[in-house]
Amino acid sequence: MFSGKSEEMIRRLRRAEIAGQRVILFKPRIDDRYDNADVVSHAGVRMSAVPVDGHAEIAARARGHEVVGVDEVQFFDEQVVAAALALADRGVRVICAGLDQDFRRRPFGPMPELLARAEFVDKLQAVCHRCGGPATTTQRLVDGVPAPYSGDTIVVGAAEQYEARCRDCHEPGVDAADAVDAVAA
Ligand code: ZN
């Protein structure tokens, strides 16, 4: 998050467009933070995108395109990897952008498999919200405090905040039960 991955993907897709290739960009319908039809980076760079409900829709709507982008790919289920591989096997260039870790720093959805199967992987770093160092994790905050570890992995548009944090500044969330145990001890 905040690492510029959407921006980097848009840059690559734009270059393909300039080269005269047929390009299409997908995004999960779940993500309507900014705009229903566009992928918009945190820096404001935008590109029109096709919102899809799942991997089957990607496979169907990618036909006839030479370059396929998938933004926020962590929100798709595991089968998005097979869909991407099937496209790549047909000679399509597939560019996926996603968060590799959820707010607990656990591998996010289909990302581990995708990272393993991809020919090229670039891990981008954000800037830590706390100390300004290179950030590789996402801190979820609810009312300003770390969200509980047991919280849902995917919450879009809720009254929560996300910050890029480095390894040292990332704070694990405490579950209510753990808090009670701590008091009892
Ligand atoms: Zn930090």
Side-chain angles (χ1 to χ4, degrees), residues 127-135 164-170:
V127 177
C128 178
H129 195 86
R130 279 275 171 86
C131 73
R165 297 272 184 100
C166 72
R167 178 180 292 277
D168 290 340
C169 295
H170 189 277

mmCIF file of all heavy atoms in Angstrom, residues 127-135 164-170, ligand 1:
data_model
loop_
_atom_site.group_PDB
_atom_site.id
_atom_site.type_symbol
_atom_site.label_atom_id
_atom_site.label_comp_id
_atom_site.label_asym_id
_atom_site.label_seq_id
_atom_site.Cartn_x
_atom_site.Cartn_y
_atom_site.Cartn_z
ATOM 1 N N VAL A 127 6.960 4.396 2.043
ATOM 2 C CA VAL A 127 7.714 5.131 3.048
ATOM 3 C C VAL A 127 6.983 5.001 4.376
ATOM 4 O O VAL A 127 5.778 5.259 4.461
ATOM 5 C CB VAL A 127 7.837 6.632 2.664
ATOM 6 C CG1 VAL A 127 8.568 7.408 3.752
ATOM 7 C CG2 VAL A 127 8.549 6.775 1.326
ATOM 8 N N CYS A 128 7.683 4.571 5.408
ATOM 9 C CA CYS A 128 7.044 4.345 6.710
ATOM 10 C C CYS A 128 6.412 5.632 7.235
ATOM 11 O O CYS A 128 7.057 6.680 7.292
ATOM 12 C CB CYS A 128 8.056 3.811 7.724
ATOM 13 S SG CYS A 128 7.348 3.569 9.371
ATOM 14 N N HIS A 129 5.134 5.507 7.605
ATOM 15 C CA HIS A 129 4.360 6.646 8.096
ATOM 16 C C HIS A 129 4.938 7.197 9.405
ATOM 17 O O HIS A 129 4.790 8.365 9.735
ATOM 18 C CB HIS A 129 2.920 6.183 8.335
ATOM 19 C CG HIS A 129 1.932 7.278 8.486
ATOM 20 N ND1 HIS A 129 1.309 7.882 7.420
ATOM 21 C CD2 HIS A 129 1.450 7.900 9.592
ATOM 22 C CE1 HIS A 129 0.487 8.833 7.861
ATOM 23 N NE2 HIS A 129 0.554 8.853 9.169
ATOM 24 N N ARG A 130 5.614 6.321 10.150
ATOM 25 C CA ARG A 130 6.144 6.726 11.458
ATOM 26 C C ARG A 130 7.555 7.324 11.373
ATOM 27 O O ARG A 130 7.822 8.389 11.899
ATOM 28 C CB ARG A 130 6.200 5.506 12.379
ATOM 29 C CG ARG A 130 4.878 5.159 13.029
ATOM 30 C CD ARG A 130 4.686 5.981 14.296
ATOM 31 N NE ARG A 130 3.354 5.840 14.858
ATOM 32 C CZ ARG A 130 3.009 4.873 15.698
ATOM 33 N NH1 ARG A 130 3.881 3.967 16.058
ATOM 34 N NH2 ARG A 130 1.794 4.838 16.175
ATOM 35 N N CYS A 131 8.463 6.564 10.709
ATOM 36 C CA CYS A 131 9.884 6.936 10.821
ATOM 37 C C CYS A 131 10.509 7.364 9.496
ATOM 38 O O CYS A 131 11.656 7.825 9.485
ATOM 39 C CB CYS A 131 10.684 5.771 11.414
ATOM 40 S SG CYS A 131 10.926 4.405 10.255
ATOM 41 N N GLY A 132 9.767 7.205 8.407
ATOM 42 C CA GLY A 132 10.317 7.633 7.125
ATOM 43 C C GLY A 132 11.220 6.618 6.456
ATOM 44 O O GLY A 132 11.753 6.865 5.380
ATOM 45 N N GLY A 133 11.390 5.450 7.096
ATOM 46 C CA GLY A 133 12.207 4.391 6.502
ATOM 47 C C GLY A 133 11.442 3.644 5.422
ATOM 48 O O GLY A 133 10.266 3.918 5.178
ATOM 49 N N PRO A 134 12.110 2.690 4.752
ATOM 50 C CA PRO A 134 11.418 1.892 3.734
ATOM 51 C C PRO A 134 10.346 1.009 4.375
ATOM 52 O O PRO A 134 10.632 0.294 5.336
ATOM 53 C CB PRO A 134 12.541 1.028 3.131
ATOM 54 C CG PRO A 134 13.817 1.625 3.612
ATOM 55 C CD PRO A 134 13.523 2.327 4.901
ATOM 56 N N ALA A 135 9.126 1.086 3.859
ATOM 57 C CA ALA A 135 8.001 0.378 4.474
ATOM 58 C C ALA A 135 7.593 -0.814 3.636
ATOM 59 O O ALA A 135 7.464 -0.714 2.419
ATOM 60 C CB ALA A 135 6.813 1.320 4.651
ATOM 61 N N ALA A 164 1.364 2.839 5.721
ATOM 62 C CA ALA A 164 2.553 2.063 5.405
ATOM 63 C C ALA A 164 3.480 2.125 6.614
ATOM 64 O O ALA A 164 3.680 3.186 7.191
ATOM 65 C CB ALA A 164 3.233 2.635 4.173
ATOM 66 N N ARG A 165 3.998 0.975 7.008
ATOM 67 C CA ARG A 165 4.916 0.940 8.156
ATOM 68 C C ARG A 165 6.107 0.046 7.823
ATOM 69 O O ARG A 165 5.989 -0.921 7.070
ATOM 70 C CB ARG A 165 4.222 0.350 9.393
ATOM 71 C CG ARG A 165 3.034 1.163 9.919
ATOM 72 C CD ARG A 165 3.468 2.215 10.902
ATOM 73 N NE ARG A 165 2.327 2.926 11.473
ATOM 74 C CZ ARG A 165 1.801 2.670 12.669
ATOM 75 N NH1 ARG A 165 2.308 1.714 13.429
ATOM 76 N NH2 ARG A 165 0.779 3.362 13.123
ATOM 77 N N CYS A 166 7.234 0.347 8.455
ATOM 78 C CA CYS A 166 8.401 -0.520 8.312
ATOM 79 C C CYS A 166 8.276 -1.675 9.313
ATOM 80 O O CYS A 166 7.371 -1.707 10.148
ATOM 81 C CB CYS A 166 9.694 0.255 8.548
ATOM 82 S SG CYS A 166 9.951 0.704 10.268
ATOM 83 N N ARG A 167 9.198 -2.599 9.245
ATOM 84 C CA ARG A 167 9.181 -3.762 10.148
ATOM 85 C C ARG A 167 9.198 -3.339 11.615
ATOM 86 O O ARG A 167 8.474 -3.896 12.444
ATOM 87 C CB ARG A 167 10.417 -4.626 9.834
ATOM 88 C CG ARG A 167 10.593 -5.841 10.691
ATOM 89 C CD ARG A 167 11.847 -6.596 10.279
ATOM 90 N NE ARG A 167 11.712 -7.191 8.952
ATOM 91 C CZ ARG A 167 11.118 -8.354 8.717
ATOM 92 N NH1 ARG A 167 10.600 -9.038 9.711
ATOM 93 N NH2 ARG A 167 11.046 -8.838 7.497
ATOM 94 N N ASP A 168 10.009 -2.345 11.953
ATOM 95 C CA ASP A 168 10.128 -1.934 13.348
ATOM 96 C C ASP A 168 8.887 -1.204 13.856
ATOM 97 O O ASP A 168 8.544 -1.289 15.037
ATOM 98 C CB ASP A 168 11.355 -1.021 13.526
ATOM 99 C CG ASP A 168 12.654 -1.786 13.374
ATOM 100 O OD1 ASP A 168 12.627 -3.033 13.513
ATOM 101 O OD2 ASP A 168 13.687 -1.146 13.094
ATOM 102 N N CYS A 169 8.230 -0.465 12.974
ATOM 103 C CA CYS A 169 7.108 0.374 13.415
ATOM 104 C C CYS A 169 5.757 -0.329 13.327
ATOM 105 O O CYS A 169 4.767 0.182 13.831
ATOM 106 C CB CYS A 169 7.065 1.670 12.602
ATOM 107 S SG CYS A 169 8.500 2.748 12.870
ATOM 108 N N HIS A 170 5.718 -1.502 12.665
ATOM 109 C CA HIS A 170 4.442 -2.212 12.557
ATOM 110 C C HIS A 170 4.034 -2.725 13.922
ATOM 111 O O HIS A 170 4.824 -3.353 14.632
ATOM 112 C CB HIS A 170 4.553 -3.376 11.569
ATOM 113 C CG HIS A 170 3.231 -4.007 11.259
ATOM 114 N ND1 HIS A 170 2.654 -4.955 12.070
ATOM 115 C CD2 HIS A 170 2.375 -3.799 10.234
ATOM 116 C CE1 HIS A 170 1.483 -5.312 11.551
ATOM 117 N NE2 HIS A 170 1.294 -4.631 10.440
HETATM 118 ZN ZN ZN B 1 9.210 2.863 10.590
#
